[in-house]
Structures are given as structure tokens and as C-alpha cells.
Amino acid sequence: MRRVCITGLGIVSPIGIGIDAFLSGLRSGKSGIRAIAQSDAGATATHVAGQVDINFAEHLPPTRIPGLDRVSLFALVAAQQAILNANGGSNVLDLHNAGVYVGTGIGGVHSLEIAYEEFFLRGGARVKPLTVVQAMNNAAAAHIAMTHGCHGPVLTYSTACSSSAMAIGEAYRAIKHGYADTVIAGGTEALLVPGTLRAWDALRTLALPDKTNPAASCKPFAKGRTGLVLAEGAAMLVLEDAEQARRRGANIIAMLSGYGCRTDATHLTKPDAGGQAATMHAALAEAGLAPEKIDYINAHGTATLTGDIVETSAIKAVFGAHAKRVPVTSTKSMHGHAMGATGAIEFIAALLALQHGFIPPTMHLDEPDPECDLDYVANQAREGVKLNHVLSNSFAFGGSNAVLIASRVV
Amino acid sequence: MDHDLQQEICTAISAHFGVAIEKLQPEATMESLNIDSLSMIEFLFDMEDKLGISLGDSREPLKTLGDVFKEIDKAIAAKGGAA
């Protein structure tokens, strides 16, 4: 059986664009969350969200930008960074037969909202001709493939909050079982538009803005948490057959050692500890690791009232006594919940922890919920730790769970 | 087509697609100008706004720049006067 390694990382996030900025944000506990005002149909609502400040012209050729939704532009920037990173070795990565596996929750919703606004609000008789091809869910993956000449499988996964973790996991399997040698895998999301924010509002799961500090509105595992904070961004990885990577002298960041993919099949939105535990068990089994070998868990940790308790209980069920020893953190406290991109963003956070020997903090955790009683590394990164295996949880509406495990190169 | 309007359209095409204006002759094919059909549809959408016309529902392929001029002429005539 082939082994799969990670040789390139790229990221566009509310706490930084590019791996260096993201890493520095994780270490310093930076928040990318702020108050944003959005208006629709004459009404204005204030939300908090993890918005990305980006001028695409600084990252992409000017001819590449027109006609693309924000979701595809994010993906292109992250993929370009990851490919550049993977080319750090002695031989340039040949992408001709590479696959592209991208997760996204709702694709090009900016383009759809512009079209609906024109048609329904302004009484326009027509909508922009590129609306369909900008909004379609597989546009981001197709643009990466066209830009970099990738002729392998180009697939899009849409399983809400676990979309990009699924995409990475499925890419891992494609390489492991010989269907591809190289895959650009990750996720992208750009959903901060009025209609989508209102729809999320209606679910009553969004965090209320923190009255004194909007940047501290996402409070995973805290007693005073009020819900999740939506965010946007993209994260891409270059996955390779380990032999190929060694042959071409690539800089191997980590091994992708396990992937669990299971479904609750109980409720559309209510998380299930049994399903989550089974998914972590599946990933550990594939990695061939006992639970005690895991040194850090990047939690799904959305900061919803139910979600954090259920995940805590699932971790206890899987890790037993080790659950109290292993650091469990939610980096969503800093970058927010980027839905289809969040699994990839958090897997990169876990990879950087592994690579640089630190535990990213759970920010805004002054008083933990009594039912959340693990070591969440509150408010300050823990430096100087040696990690061998890290695990990243992604649990989605629809009950679609994905767990990824990465291991130090030995 | 009115000469000034043709110049205006050619200037807009040149700016939008980055094609040298002297190549924009009526007999020039879209293929030779490296303009794909999707991009041309998007361009014409903007021209409809700019000229205040509606290009209608024709499904005839626009093979040459001359075809584009004819489509615009038809839309101007349908509107009932110069744009």
C-alpha cells in the first residue's frame, strides 16, 4: 500500500493570507472576527464574521480575475501558494496528471446573490451571462485545474462543514490506492452575503456579537458561548505519493496517516457523539495508532451550545483517560467557521502545530462550561512541545463526519 | 454600421480582451482574435447596458466581428433609432 505525504500548503484566512501570516496568527491568538454591517431589502443587520481582507490583483494575474466568483478566487490563491510551496524541492512538481479535490459548502453564492438582487430587487429583465458558471459548485476546482494544467480527476465534495476534510481524505485514498500520484486538495468558501447571513440567522446558531469586543464573539467550550461565527477563506494542500515525493527531493511537511469518514444518520443538524466517536476510531484504525499516540486534537469546536458538549463527550469515549491529557483546541475562536473550507484550514493549523512544535490556543475561553472539561489550552498558545501525531475533527450538518490524522515524518 | 459606433465597439473590445485595435476588422474571426464564445456573451451583456439595447434571443453563432456588428445593428433598429 502506498503512503501519502503533504508537500505543499496554501491558505487564505481571516487571520492571515499565506502560511507565515496564518502561523503567526495562530501563535499569537489573533482574531480575524469583526462586526460587519450587511444590508438587504432596506434593512441592515449587524453580524460578526471572519472576513478576509484581500486585493486579488496582488495575488493573481489581472487577466485571471474577471468572471470568477470570490469562492474561486480564494481557491486559486490558496492553490497557487500550495503549489509554489511544493516546488521547494530539487525537482518541480509535474501537475499534468494531478487531481484536484475541492470541498465547498455552497459554492459561488456571491454571483447568485448579485443575480437575485438584480432580478428581484431592481426589477432587471436579465442576469449576468456568467452567473451559472460562476455559481456552480465545481467552478473553483475547474479553475485550479485549468490554471495549472491538471488533467487527473477534478472533483468537488459538498458535505457542509466537513466538505474540505472529506476532499482531503478522499484525495488521500485516491493516492493510497493508486488512482492518482498527486492531488491538490482542500476547500474554499465565500458565503458572507446578506441572504446567506440571514438564512443562518434564522437557524439561531450564530453567535451574538460580544458587546465589548466583537473580535471575541466566538467562544468555543466557554460557559458564555452563544454560537458559531461564519467566516470565509480557502486552504489547499499538495498531497503526493510518498515515493514520488522522495524521488523528486520534495520537502515533506508531514505524512497523512489516517482518514475516518462516517455518518451519524440520526438527525440533520443535531450532532451525535456515537457517530463522531466512530469516525475518530475509524481514522485511528487506518493510521494504525492507539488513541494514546495522539498528541493534539484540533476540535471541530464550533462554539454552539450543543456541539461543544457532544464533541467533548465523543473525545472522552474514544480517548478514555488520555482525553484529559491530550490538548484539544478550537482554532475557530480565531478564524471563525468557514464552512466548506474550515476542515482544510484547521487541518493546516494541526499540521503547523506538528511542524513547529506548539499548540494553537482556544481563544476567548475565560470560564469553561462545566460540561466541557478537557485541556483546551485557553487563551495562549503552548510553545515548545514535540508532537508526533495530530488529529483534526470535522463534523457537519447532514451527519457527515470526517477525521484526518497527520504524523511526523520519520 | 455607423463608423463612430463601430470605432466605439472596437475600442471597447480592444480594452476588454487586450486585442490590438488594428486587428479588429469585420472579417476577423473570433477564433483568430482568441475570443471564446462565453467571453463574447459577457462582453455583449455589458454593451447592451452601455448602448441601451437588447440583443434579443438569436442563437446564431457569432463567428466574425462582422456578425457582432450586425447583431448590434439589428438591436439598434429594433429599438427604433440610433443608440
Side-chain angles (χ1 to χ4, degrees), chain A residues 77-294:
Chain A
V77 174
Q80 182 174 274
Q81 290 172 12
I83 292 164
L84 206 65
N85 189 204
N87 274 335
S90 51
N91 292 311
V92 168
L93 183 61
D94 179 2
L95 291 170
H96 184 79
N97 293 315
V100 180
Y101 286 38
V102 173
T104 187
I106 50 173
V109 74
H110 274 262
S111 305
L112 274 186
E113 284 237 345
I114 288 166
Y116 292 155
E117 202 177 306
E118 177 65 26
F119 190 70
F120 293 119
L121 295 183
R122 301 213 180 100
R126 66 221 173 110
V127 297
K128 288 191 171 183
L130 295 189
T131 301
V132 168
V133 290
Q134 285 177 337
M136 64 188 194
N137 261 14
N138 61 332
H143 282 296
I144 294 172
M146 287 189 294
T147 304
H148 299 284
C150 307
H151 296 268
V154 175
L155 303 173
T156 299
Y157 292 85
S158 192
T159 55
C161 321
S162 60
S163 301
S164 52
M166 268 332 159
I168 294 166
E170 295 298 320
Y172 156 74
R173 286 201 176 146
I175 295 173
K176 185 175 174 181
H177 298 287
Y179 295 105
D181 297 325
T182 307
V183 180
I184 299 160
T188 184
E189 202 74 84
L191 79 180
L192 300 179
V193 289
T196 306
L197 282 167
R198 287 299 170 96
W200 273 96
D201 238 359
L203 269 177
R204 303 174 71 93
T205 55
L206 292 187
L208 301 170
D210 184 285
K211 287 191 181 78
T212 54
N213 180 14
S217 299
C218 183
K219 307 171 193 291
F221 308 113
K223 198 175 176 185
R225 71 190 182 280
T226 58
L228 64 88
V229 174
L230 289 174
E232 59 181 358
M236 295 289 162
L237 295 82
V238 174
L239 307 184
E240 284 187 70
D241 165 40
E243 274 313 305
Q244 169 188 286
R246 285 204 175 92
R247 269 201 310 274
R248 74 178 189 90
N251 173 36
I252 296 175
I253 295 162
M255 305 304 293
L256 214 174
S257 45
Y259 165 50
C261 172
R262 291 186 58 86
T263 306
D264 294 342
T266 49
H267 191 276
L268 200 59
T269 56
K270 191 177 158 201
D272 177 64
Q276 295 182 358
T279 314
M280 285 184 261
H281 275 304
L284 288 163
E286 180 152 32
L289 292 172
E292 294 73 31
K293 294 286 182 190
I294 297 296

Side-chain angles (χ1 to χ4, degrees), chain A residues 66-67 126-130 133-134, chain B residues 38 41-42 44-46 48-49 53:
Chain A
R126 66 221 173 110
V127 297
K128 288 191 171 183
L130 295 189
V133 290
Q134 285 177 337
Chain B
L38 194 61
I41 289 169
E42 191 196 14
L44 289 175
F45 182 87
D46 292 341
E48 284 182 302
D49 280 348
I53 56 170

